[in-house]
C-alpha cells in the first residue's frame, strides 16, 4: 500500500520517464555549438559593443525547465488520481462483505457504511451478487442478494454495544463459501482484537482458501474506551484506552448524572506511544456520588461510556468505638484497624465523645452506614431511631468486645447466649480456631479462606432454627464468626470478634478488608446485591431497565436482553447488553468492557490479502492540473528563449503596442480557463449525480436547523420507499433554484421559512418553468400547530404569509383541498388525509376539472391531465420522516397518535408515486380493485 493517497489509471505510461535522460542529452547537443575560426581582421570589431548576444549552448536551468514540463506531460498521461477509491479488485465473482459491527466500529460507522456502499455500487455496475456478513450475528443466514437489496440491508445494520466474537461466524461463512463457489471477500475491519483475534485470523485463512481477500483497515478514527472507574478518597479516576499509539493525543471526559445533566468535565492526555492514560475528576464527594455516566466527548461509542451505580459511590461511614480514651491507644485501638480497612473505598468519619452522642450525630447526618466497635447498651430512644434508620435502608455493622458481651442488647441479628458469650471463661480452647469456608449463599461467597487467621475469643449465639441461615462466616467447629439479617430495606451485621487484635488476628488480614468491602457495597441499596441471611436459595435476578446501543445512547432493552444476577460484574454481552438493570431507584450498571480489559490491535499479517484504508476524501483527477502546469512551463520557456535570442526585443521595438495589447488580452483568458473548467466540471458532476438514479430534491433554505431536518426527512422517505415499494431511489439532493438545473427531479420539497428573503425573480422563473414542464413542487409551511382558530386561521400563519409572497410571482393554477376521490389518495396506499408531524393542516392540490357526467364523477379515483404542479401542506411532512442515524425519530409528533408516523410515511409514498406515475390509477382498469378495497 502506497504511503501517499495517489494512484495511476495508466501506470505503464510512467515508463516514459526513462526517456528524460535522452531528452536531456538532445537538448544539450542541439543546436550544435558554433565552430571557432581565427580571423585576424576581426580585431577591428573588438571595440564595437554588442547590443545582443546569443549563447553558445542551452543553459542548464532552461534544460531542467523543459525536462520538468515533459515529465508533467508523462505523469498526466498516466492518469494520476489523488485519494483513489480503494476497494476490491474488479471481478465477475460475487462480493462477500465481512463487517465488524461491534462497539469499536461505532465511532467511525458512517465511514464504514460509506465504504461498503461504494463496494456495493461497484458490484452493481458489474452485475454481481452481494452477501453482507455482520460478524456479530453468527446465527444470521448468509445469502446472495441483488445490489439494491444489499444496499437496503446495509442501511438497516447498526453497531452492537458489545465486543464481537468473530470466530463464531466462521462455520456459517464456510458453509456459504462452499455453496457459492468463487467469491471476492472484503473485510471491513475495526482493527481491534476482542480476545480471540489470532484464532479468527487463522480460521479465516483456512476458510477462504485461494479466494481474493481485501482488508480495509486504517484511515478511520481509532476507537477509544473507558474502564475501571474508581471513586478514591480525593478524586474519581477512570482509565482511558485507545486502539493505536498514533491516535489523538488528548481529549475530554464528561461526567453526567442519572438524568443526563452535566456535573463536570476533565481533560486527559496520552504519553507518546502509550495506549492508556487516566482522567481524574477532583470534585466534592457529594457531586462525585451523583455521577452515573462518564463519556468521552465527541466519541459516539458504547465503549466510550462508563456507567456507574451505587457500587461506585464513595459512601460516608461513621465509626464509633466504646473504648474509653485512656485505654484506646492509637495504634492498638479498633478504630485504627477499621479506618485502614475502610479508607480505600469509603470516607471514614470517626466519632469523638460518648457513643450515644456520636451515633445520634451520625443519624442526623443521614449516613448510609455506621460501624460500632464494642458499643454496649443503647438507650431505648436511640434504639428506636436506629430501627427506623435500618428499615429505610441503613447498614449497621457491630463488632464484639467486652462491653457488648456484658450488655443485654437486642440490636443484633441473632440472640446471644447469656452467661457464655465470652470465651475467656469456661469455654477455653487449647489452641485458637481457624476459619471455615464462607457460606455459599452469603455476601462473602467466593472469598478465599485465609489459612493464617485464627480466633481466640468470640461471643456465642444462642442456637435456634434460623442461626444457620443467618451465619455468613463460621469457624471450623461450626460456631458463627459473622452473622447478619435484613431489617426492612437495611442490613444488620455482627462480627462475633473484636475489631482489634485482642480476640483475633482477622483485622490484620486482607480478607478483613474484602469482607468490609462486600458489606459496604450493599449500603444504600433497596435490593440485594448478594445473598444474605434472609435470601432465597435461588439466585436473585433483575430485569433490564434501559440499555445502551452501539453509539452509546440509551434506549429500551432489545428482545435478546435477559435478566442478570444482582451480583453480576462481567462485561456486556448480547444477552446482557450494557445499561442499567433493576429498579429505577437502585439500578445495577453493566458496562461494555470489564475493568481488566484492554484494547489490543489485531494482527492480520498472516493473511494474504490486499490492503485498503477507509477515507472520507473524494477522489480528484490530477491530469488537468498537470497539463495546465506543463503548458505554463512551455509558455515560460518560449518567453525565455525569445529574451535570450533577442526576438522579443525586436518584436517589442517593431510592434510594442500590439504586443502589449495581445498579452493583456491573453492573460485574462488564461486566468479564466481553470475557473470555467471547474464550473463546467461541477455542473457536469451535478448532472451525473442527479441522473444516475431517481432522486428526490429539496430546496436549501440557508437555515441550518431546517436544512438538517429536511435532509434527514427526505433520506428517511427514500429508505421507506426502498423498503415498501419497487423504487430504489438515490440519496436526496439539496438544490438552489437559482443555480441548479431542476428538470432532473420529479419532486422538489420546499420548506417555507418565515422571514426568509424572497427568492430572486430568475429563481422563481425557473420554478415556474419546472412546474409547467411536468414537475411538482411540494410547499410545506410546517406551522399547522400555530394556526389560529377559525375557518381561515391556517391562512394567517407566518409560514402561509411567506408562501403567499413566493406564490405571488408564480403562475399557480386553481387549488382545492385533496378530495377523497383524488388519485393522490389512492396512488399506492388508500388514504383519507396526509398527516406529518401535525395532523390539523389541509393538503392542497390543483383543482380537478368539474365533470358533469354522473358516471365519471362516481369513479373511485379521478385525476386531471397529468399531475398537479403544486402541492401545499402545513403538516411538516419532512419533520415526521426525519430519522437519526440510529434509526430513532428525530422529532416528536403532535398529537402523537399510535400510527401517525406510519401514515406520514405512507402519505410521502403516495406523493412520490403520484409524481412518478401521474394519474394512471384513475384509469377504469383499476376501478374494480379500488372499489373492492374501499368496500363499495
Amino acid at each position: 500500500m502506497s504511503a501517499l493517497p495517489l494512484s495511476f489509471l495508466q501506470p505503464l505510461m510512467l515508463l516514459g520517464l526513462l526517456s528524460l535522460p535522452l531528452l536531456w542529452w538532445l537538448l544539450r547537443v542541439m543546436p550544435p555549438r558554433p565552430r571557432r575560426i581565427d580571423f585576424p581582421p576581426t580585431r577591428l570589431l573588438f571595440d564595437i559593443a554588442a547590443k545582443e548576444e546569443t549563447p553558445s549552448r542551452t543553459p542548464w536551468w532552461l534544460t531542467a525547465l523543459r525536462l520538468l514540463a515533459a515529465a508533467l506531460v508523462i505523469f498526466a498521461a498516466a492518469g494520476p488520481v489523488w485519494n483513489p477509491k480503494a476497494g476490491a479488485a474488479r471481478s465477475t465473482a460475487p462480493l462477500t462483505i465481512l463487517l465488524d459491527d461491534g462497539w469499536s466500529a461505532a465511532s467511525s460507522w458512517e465511514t464504514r457504511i460509506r465504504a461498503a456502499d461504494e463496494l456495493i455500487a461497484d458490484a452493481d455496475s458489474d452485475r454481481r451478487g452481494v452477501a453482507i456478513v455482520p460478524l456479530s450475528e453468527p446465527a444470521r443466514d448468509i445469502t446472495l442478494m441483488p445490489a439494491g437489496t444489499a444496499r437496503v440491508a446495509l442501511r438497516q445494520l447498526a453497531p452492537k454495544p458489545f465486543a464481537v466474537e468473530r470466530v463464531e461466524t466462521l462455520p456459517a461463512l464456510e458453509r456459504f463459501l462452499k455453496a457459492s463457489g468463487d467469491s471476492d471477500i472484503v473485510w471491513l475491519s475495526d482493527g481491534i482484537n476482542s480476545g480471540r483475534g489470532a484464532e479468527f485470523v487463522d480460521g479465516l485463512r483456512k476458510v477462504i482458501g485461494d479466494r481474493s481477500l481485501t482488508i480495509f483497515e486504517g484511515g478511520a478514527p481509532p476507537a477509544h474506551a473507558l474502564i475501571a472507574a474508581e471513586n478514591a478518597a480525593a478524586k474519581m479516576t477512570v482509565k482511558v484506552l485507545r486502539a493505536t499509539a498514533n491516535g489523538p493525543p488528548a481529549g475530554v471526559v464528561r461526567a453526567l448524572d442519572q438524568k443526563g445533566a452535566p456535573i463536570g468535565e476533565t481533560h486527559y492526555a496520552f504519553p507518546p506511544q502509550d495506549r492508556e492514560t487516566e482522567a481524574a475528576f477532583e470534585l466534592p464527594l457529594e457531586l462525585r456520588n451523583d455521577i452515573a455516566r462518564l463519556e468521552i466527548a465527541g466519541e459516539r461509542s458504547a465503549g466510550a461510556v462508563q456507567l456507574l451505580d451505587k457500587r461506585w459511590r464513595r459512601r460516608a461511614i461513621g465509626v464509633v468505638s466504646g473504648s474509653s480514651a485512656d485505654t484506646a491507644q492509637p495504634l492498638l485501638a479498633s478504630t485504627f484497624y477499621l479506618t485502614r480497612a475502610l479508607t480505600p473505598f469509603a470516607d471514614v468519619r470517626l466519632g469523638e465523645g460518648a457513643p450515644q452522642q456520636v451515633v445520634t450525630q451520625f443519624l442526623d447526618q443521614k449516613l448510609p452506614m455506621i460501624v460500632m466497635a464494642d458499643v454496649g447498651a443503647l438507650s431505648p430512644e436511640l434504639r428506636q431511631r436506629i430501627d427506623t434508620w435500618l428499615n429505610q435502608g441503613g447498614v449497621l455493622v457491630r463488632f464484639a468486645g467486652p462491653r457488648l458481651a456484658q450488655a443485654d442488647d437486642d440490636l443484633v441479628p441473632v440472640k446471644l447466649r447469656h452467661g457464655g458469650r465470652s470465651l475467656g471463661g469456661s469455654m477455653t480452647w487449647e489452641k485458637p480456631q481457624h476459619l471455615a469456608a464462607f457460606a455459599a449463599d452469603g455476601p462473602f461467597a467466593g472469598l478465599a479462606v485465609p489459612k493464617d487467621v485464627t480466633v481466640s475469643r468470640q461471643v456465642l449465639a444462642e442456637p435456634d432454627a434460623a442461626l444457620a441461615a443467618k451465619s455468613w462466616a463460621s469457624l471450623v467447629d461450626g460456631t458463627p464468626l459473622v452473622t447478619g439479617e435484613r431489617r426492612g430495606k437495611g442490613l444488620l451485621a455482627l462480627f462475633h470478634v473484636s475489631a482489634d487484635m485482642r480476640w483475633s488476628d482477622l483485622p490484620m488480614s486482607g480478607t478483613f478488608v474484602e469482607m468490609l468491602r462486600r458489606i459496604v457495597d450493599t449500603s444504600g441499596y433497596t435490593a440485594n446485591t448478594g445473598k444474605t441471611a434472609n435470601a432465597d436459595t435461588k439466585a436473585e435476578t433483575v430485569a433490564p431497565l434501559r440499555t445502551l446501543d452501539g453509539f452509546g445512547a440509551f434506549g429500551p432493552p432489545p428482545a435478546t436482553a435477559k435478566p442478570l444476577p444482582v451480583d453480576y460484574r462481567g462485561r456486556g454481552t448480547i444477552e446482557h447488553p450494557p445499561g442499567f438493570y433493576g429498579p429505577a431507584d437502585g439500578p445495577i450498571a453493566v458496562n461494555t468492557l470489564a475493568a481488566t480489559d484492554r484494547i489490543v490491535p489485531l494482527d492480520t499479517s498472516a493473511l494474504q490479502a490486499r490492503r485498503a484504508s477507509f477515507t472520507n476524501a473524494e477522489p480528484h483527477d490530477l491530469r488537468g492540473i498537470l497539463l495546465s502546469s506543463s503548458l505554463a512551463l512551455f509558455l515560460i520557456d518560449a518567453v525565455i528563449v525569445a529574451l535570450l535570442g533577442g526576438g522579443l526585443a525586436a518584436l517589442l521595438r517593431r510592434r510594442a503596442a500590439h504586443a502589449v495589447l495581445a498579452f493583456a488580452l491573453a492573460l485574462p483568458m488564461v486566468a479564466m480557463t481553470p475557473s470555467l473548467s471547474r464550473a463546467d466540471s461541477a455542473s457536469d458532476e451535478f448532472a451525473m449525480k442527479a441522473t444516475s438514479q431517481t432522486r428526490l430534491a429539496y430546496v436549501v433554505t440557508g437555515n441550518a436547523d431546517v436544512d438538517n431536518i429536511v435532509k434527514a426527512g427526505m433520506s428517511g422517505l427514500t429508505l421507506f420507499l426502498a423498503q415498501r415499494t419497487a423504487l430504489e431511489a438515490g440519496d436526496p439532493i439539496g438544490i438552489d433554484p437559482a443555480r441548479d438545473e431542476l428538470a432532473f427531479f420529479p419532486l422538489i420539497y420546499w420548506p417555507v421559512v418565515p422571514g426568509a428573503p424572497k427568492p430572486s425573480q430568475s429563481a422563481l422563473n425557473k420554478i415556474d418553468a419546472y412546474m409547467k414542464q411536468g414537475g411538482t413542487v411540494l410547499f410545506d409551511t410546517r406551522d399547522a400547530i400555530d394556526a389560529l382558530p377559525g375557518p381561515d386561521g391556517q391562512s394567517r400563519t407566518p409560514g402561509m404569509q411567506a408562501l403567499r409572497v413566493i406564490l405571488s410571482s408564480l403562475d399557480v393554477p386553481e387549488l382545492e383541498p385533496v378530495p377523497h376521490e383524488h388519485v393522490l389518495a389512492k396512488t399506492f396506499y388508500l388514504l383519507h388525509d396526509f398527516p406529518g408531524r401535525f395532523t390539523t393542516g389541509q393538503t392542497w392540490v390543483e383543482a380537478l376539472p368539474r365533470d358533469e357526467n354522473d358516471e365519471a364523477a362516481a369513479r373511485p379515483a379521478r385525476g386531471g391531465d397529468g399531475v398537479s404542479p403544486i402541492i401545499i401542506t402545513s403538516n411538516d411532512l419532512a419533520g415526521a420522516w426525519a430519522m437519526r442515524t440510529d434509526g430513532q425519530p428525530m422529532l416528536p409528533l403532535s398529537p402523537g397518535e399510535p400510527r401517525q408516523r406510519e401514515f406520514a410515511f405512507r402519505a410521502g409514498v403516495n406523493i412520490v408515486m403520484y409524481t412518478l406515475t401521474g394519474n394512471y390509477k384513475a384509469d377504469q382498469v383499476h376501478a374494480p380493485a379500488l372499489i373492492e378495497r374501499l368496500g363499495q
Side-chain angles (χ1 to χ4, degrees), residues 88-133:
R90 290 290 181 178
S91 172
T92 58
L95 175 65
T96 302
I97 300 177
L98 307 181
L99 180 63
D100 278 342
D101 57 340
W103 69 267
S104 50
S107 59
S108 56
W109 186 251
E110 289 300 323
T111 301
R112 299 174 188 278
I113 293 298
R114 189 182 305 112
D117 191 70
E118 292 177 357
L119 292 170
I120 295 175
D122 293 339
D124 190 16
S125 63
D126 297 334
R127 300 190 179 278
R128 297 189 289 160
V130 180
I132 299 178
V133 186

Coordinates of all heavy atoms in Angstrom, one line a residue, residues 88-133:
A88 N -12.3 -3.6 -3.6 CA -11.9 -4.9 -4.1 C -11.5 -4.8 -5.6 O -12.0 -3.9 -6.3 CB -13.0 -5.9 -3.9
A89 N -10.6 -5.7 -6.1 CA -10.3 -5.7 -7.5 C -11.5 -6.1 -8.3 O -12.4 -6.8 -7.9 CB -9.1 -6.6 -7.7
R90 N -11.5 -5.6 -9.6 CA -12.5 -5.9 -10.5 C -12.6 -7.4 -10.7 O -11.6 -8.0 -10.9 CB -12.3 -5.1 -11.8 CG -12.5 -3.6 -11.7 CD -14.0 -3.3 -11.5 NE -14.2 -1.8 -11.4 CZ -15.4 -1.3 -11.2 NH1 -16.4 -2.0 -11.1 NH2 -15.5 0.0 -11.2
S91 N -13.8 -7.9 -10.7 CA -14.0 -9.3 -10.9 C -15.5 -9.6 -11.3 O -16.3 -8.7 -11.2 CB -13.7 -10.1 -9.6 OG -14.0 -11.4 -9.7
T92 N -15.7 -10.8 -11.7 CA -17.1 -11.3 -12.0 C -17.6 -12.1 -10.9 O -18.8 -12.5 -11.0 CB -17.1 -12.0 -13.4 OG1 -16.2 -13.2 -13.2 CG2 -16.6 -11.1 -14.5
A93 N -16.9 -12.4 -9.9 CA -17.3 -13.3 -8.8 C -18.2 -12.5 -7.9 O -18.1 -11.3 -7.8 CB -16.1 -13.9 -8.1
P94 N -19.1 -13.2 -7.1 CA -19.9 -12.4 -6.1 C -19.1 -11.8 -5.1 O -17.9 -12.2 -4.8 CB -20.8 -13.6 -5.5 CG -20.8 -14.7 -6.5 CD -19.4 -14.6 -7.2
L95 N -19.7 -10.7 -4.5 CA -19.0 -10.0 -3.4 C -19.5 -10.3 -2.1 O -20.7 -10.3 -1.8 CB -19.2 -8.5 -3.7 CG -18.6 -7.5 -2.6 CD1 -17.1 -7.6 -2.6 CD2 -19.0 -6.1 -2.9
T96 N -18.6 -10.7 -1.2 CA -18.9 -11.0 0.2 C -18.3 -10.0 1.1 O -17.0 -9.9 1.1 CB -18.5 -12.4 0.6 OG1 -19.0 -13.4 -0.3 CG2 -18.9 -12.7 2.0
I97 N -19.1 -9.2 1.9 CA -18.6 -8.2 2.8 C -18.7 -8.7 4.2 O -19.8 -8.9 4.7 CB -19.4 -6.9 2.6 CG1 -19.3 -6.4 1.1 CG2 -18.9 -5.8 3.5 CD1 -20.1 -5.1 0.9
L98 N -17.5 -8.8 4.9 CA -17.4 -9.1 6.3 C -17.4 -7.8 7.0 O -16.4 -7.0 6.8 CB -16.2 -10.0 6.6 CG -16.1 -11.3 5.8 CD1 -14.8 -12.0 6.3 CD2 -17.3 -12.1 5.9
L99 N -18.3 -7.5 7.9 CA -18.4 -6.2 8.6 C -18.3 -6.4 10.1 O -19.1 -7.0 10.7 CB -19.8 -5.6 8.2 CG -20.0 -4.2 8.8 CD1 -19.1 -3.2 8.3 CD2 -21.5 -3.8 8.5
D100 N -17.2 -5.8 10.6 CA -17.1 -5.7 12.1 C -18.1 -4.6 12.6 O -18.0 -3.5 12.2 CB -15.7 -5.2 12.5 CG -14.7 -6.4 12.5 OD1 -15.1 -7.5 12.5 OD2 -13.5 -6.1 12.4
D101 N -19.0 -5.1 13.4 CA -20.1 -4.2 13.8 C -20.2 -4.2 15.4 O -21.3 -4.1 15.9 CB -21.4 -4.6 13.2 CG -21.8 -6.0 13.5 OD1 -21.0 -6.8 13.8 OD2 -23.0 -6.3 13.3
G102 N -19.1 -4.3 16.0 CA -19.1 -4.2 17.5 C -19.0 -2.8 17.9 O -19.0 -1.8 17.1
W103 N -18.8 -2.6 19.2 CA -18.7 -1.2 19.8 C -17.6 -0.4 19.2 O -17.7 0.8 19.0 CB -18.6 -1.3 21.3 CG -17.3 -1.8 21.8 CD1 -17.0 -3.1 22.1 CD2 -16.1 -1.1 22.0 NE1 -15.7 -3.2 22.5 CE2 -15.1 -2.0 22.4 CE3 -15.7 0.3 21.8 CZ2 -13.8 -1.6 22.7 CZ3 -14.4 0.7 22.1 CH2 -13.5 -0.2 22.5
S104 N -16.5 -1.1 18.9 CA -15.3 -0.4 18.4 C -15.4 0.1 17.0 O -14.6 0.9 16.6 CB -14.1 -1.4 18.5 OG -14.3 -2.6 17.9
A105 N -16.5 -0.3 16.3 CA -16.7 0.3 15.0 C -17.7 1.4 15.0 O -17.9 2.1 13.9 CB -17.2 -0.8 14.0
A106 N -18.3 1.7 16.1 CA -19.4 2.7 16.2 C -18.9 4.1 15.9 O -19.5 4.9 15.2 CB -20.1 2.7 17.5
S107 N -17.7 4.5 16.4 CA -17.2 5.9 16.2 C -16.9 6.2 14.8 O -17.0 7.4 14.4 CB -15.9 6.1 17.1 OG -14.9 5.2 16.6
S108 N -16.7 5.2 13.9 CA -16.4 5.5 12.5 C -17.5 4.8 11.7 O -17.2 4.3 10.6 CB -15.0 5.1 12.1 OG -14.8 3.7 12.5
W109 N -18.7 4.6 12.2 CA -19.7 3.8 11.5 C -20.1 4.3 10.1 O -20.2 3.6 9.2 CB -20.9 3.6 12.4 CG -21.9 2.7 11.9 CD1 -23.2 3.0 11.4 CD2 -21.8 1.3 11.8 NE1 -23.8 1.9 11.0 CE2 -23.0 0.8 11.2 CE3 -20.8 0.4 12.1 CZ2 -23.3 -0.6 11.0 CZ3 -21.1 -1.0 11.9 CH2 -22.3 -1.4 11.3
E110 N -20.3 5.6 10.1 CA -20.7 6.2 8.8 C -19.6 6.0 7.7 O -19.9 5.8 6.6 CB -20.9 7.7 9.0 CG -22.2 8.0 9.8 CD -23.4 7.5 9.1 OE1 -23.5 7.5 7.8 OE2 -24.3 7.0 9.8
T111 N -18.3 6.1 8.1 CA -17.2 5.9 7.2 C -17.3 4.5 6.7 O -17.1 4.2 5.5 CB -15.9 6.2 7.9 OG1 -15.9 7.5 8.3 CG2 -14.7 5.9 6.9
R112 N -17.5 3.5 7.6 CA -17.6 2.1 7.2 C -18.8 1.8 6.3 O -18.7 1.1 5.3 CB -17.6 1.2 8.4 CG -16.4 1.4 9.3 CD -16.5 0.6 10.6 NE -15.4 1.0 11.5 CZ -14.2 0.5 11.4 NH1 -13.9 -0.4 10.5 NH2 -13.2 0.9 12.2
I113 N -19.9 2.4 6.6 CA -21.1 2.2 5.7 C -20.9 2.8 4.4 O -21.3 2.3 3.3 CB -22.3 2.8 6.4 CG1 -22.7 2.0 7.7 CG2 -23.5 2.8 5.5 CD1 -23.0 0.6 7.5
R114 N -20.2 4.0 4.3 CA -19.9 4.6 3.0 C -19.0 3.7 2.2 O -19.2 3.6 1.0 CB -19.3 6.0 3.3 CG -19.2 6.8 2.0 CD -18.5 8.2 2.3 NE -19.2 8.9 3.3 CZ -18.7 9.1 4.5 NH1 -17.5 8.7 4.8 NH2 -19.4 9.8 5.4
A115 N -18.0 3.1 2.8 CA -17.1 2.2 2.1 C -17.8 1.0 1.6 O -17.6 0.6 0.4 CB -15.9 1.8 3.0
A116 N -18.7 0.4 2.4 CA -19.5 -0.7 2.0 C -20.4 -0.3 0.9 O -20.6 -1.1 -0.1 CB -20.2 -1.3 3.2
D117 N -21.0 0.9 0.9 CA -21.9 1.3 -0.1 C -21.2 1.5 -1.4 O -21.7 1.1 -2.5 CB -22.6 2.6 0.3 CG -23.7 3.0 -0.6 OD1 -24.8 2.3 -0.5 OD2 -23.6 4.0 -1.4
E118 N -19.9 2.0 -1.4 CA -19.2 2.1 -2.6 C -18.8 0.7 -3.2 O -18.8 0.5 -4.4 CB -17.9 2.9 -2.4 CG -18.1 4.4 -2.0 CD -16.8 5.1 -1.7 OE1 -15.8 4.4 -1.7 OE2 -16.9 6.3 -1.5
L119 N -18.5 -0.2 -2.3 CA -18.3 -1.6 -2.8 C -19.5 -2.2 -3.5 O -19.4 -2.8 -4.5 CB -17.8 -2.5 -1.7 CG -16.5 -2.2 -1.0 CD1 -16.3 -2.9 0.2 CD2 -15.3 -2.5 -2.0
I120 N -20.7 -2.0 -2.9 CA -21.9 -2.5 -3.5 C -22.2 -1.8 -4.8 O -22.7 -2.4 -5.7 CB -23.1 -2.3 -2.5 CG1 -22.8 -3.2 -1.2 CG2 -24.4 -2.6 -3.1 CD1 -23.8 -2.9 -0.1
A121 N -21.9 -0.5 -4.9 CA -22.1 0.2 -6.1 C -21.2 -0.4 -7.2 O -21.7 -0.5 -8.4 CB -21.9 1.7 -5.9
D122 N -20.0 -0.7 -6.9 CA -19.1 -1.3 -7.9 C -19.6 -2.6 -8.3 O -19.6 -3.0 -9.5 CB -17.7 -1.4 -7.3 CG -17.0 0.0 -7.1 OD1 -17.5 0.9 -7.8 OD2 -16.1 0.0 -6.3
A123 N -20.1 -3.4 -7.4 CA -20.7 -4.7 -7.7 C -21.9 -4.6 -8.5 O -22.2 -5.4 -9.4 CB -21.0 -5.5 -6.4
D124 N -22.7 -3.6 -8.3 CA -23.9 -3.3 -9.1 C -23.5 -3.0 -10.5 O -24.2 -3.5 -11.5 CB -24.7 -2.2 -8.5 CG -26.1 -2.0 -9.1 OD1 -26.5 -3.0 -9.8 OD2 -26.7 -1.0 -8.9
S125 N -22.5 -2.2 -10.7 CA -22.1 -1.9 -12.1 C -21.6 -3.1 -12.8 O -21.7 -3.2 -14.1 CB -21.0 -0.8 -12.1 OG -19.8 -1.3 -11.4
D126 N -21.0 -4.1 -12.1 CA -20.6 -5.4 -12.7 C -21.6 -6.4 -12.7 O -21.4 -7.6 -13.1 CB -19.3 -5.9 -12.0 CG -18.2 -4.9 -12.1 OD1 -18.1 -4.2 -13.1 OD2 -17.3 -4.9 -11.2
R127 N -22.8 -6.1 -12.2 CA -24.0 -7.0 -12.1 C -23.6 -8.3 -11.3 O -23.8 -9.4 -11.8 CB -24.5 -7.4 -13.5 CG -25.0 -6.2 -14.3 CD -25.7 -6.6 -15.5 NE -26.2 -5.4 -16.2 CZ -27.3 -4.7 -15.9 NH1 -28.1 -5.1 -14.9 NH2 -27.7 -3.7 -16.6
R128 N -23.0 -8.1 -10.1 CA -22.6 -9.2 -9.3 C -23.5 -9.2 -8.0 O -24.0 -8.2 -7.6 CB -21.2 -9.0 -8.8 CG -20.1 -9.1 -9.9 CD -18.7 -9.1 -9.3 NE -18.3 -7.9 -8.7 CZ -17.4 -7.7 -7.9 NH1 -16.7 -8.8 -7.4 NH2 -17.0 -6.6 -7.4
G129 N -23.7 -10.4 -7.5 CA -24.5 -10.6 -6.3 C -23.6 -10.1 -5.1 O -22.4 -10.1 -5.1
V130 N -24.3 -9.8 -4.0 CA -23.6 -9.3 -2.8 C -24.2 -10.0 -1.6 O -25.4 -10.2 -1.5 CB -23.8 -7.7 -2.6 CG1 -23.1 -7.2 -1.4 CG2 -23.4 -7.0 -3.9
A131 N -23.3 -10.4 -0.7 CA -23.6 -11.0 0.6 C -23.0 -10.2 1.7 O -21.8 -9.9 1.6 CB -23.1 -12.5 0.7
I132 N -23.8 -9.8 2.7 CA -23.3 -9.0 3.8 C -23.3 -9.9 5.0 O -24.3 -10.5 5.4 CB -24.2 -7.7 4.0 CG1 -24.2 -6.9 2.8 CG2 -23.8 -7.0 5.2 CD1 -25.1 -5.7 2.9
V133 N -22.2 -9.9 5.7 CA -22.0 -10.8 6.9 C -21.6 -9.9 8.1 O -20.4 -9.6 8.3 CB -20.9 -11.8 6.6 CG1 -20.8 -12.8 7.8 CG2 -21.2 -12.6 5.3

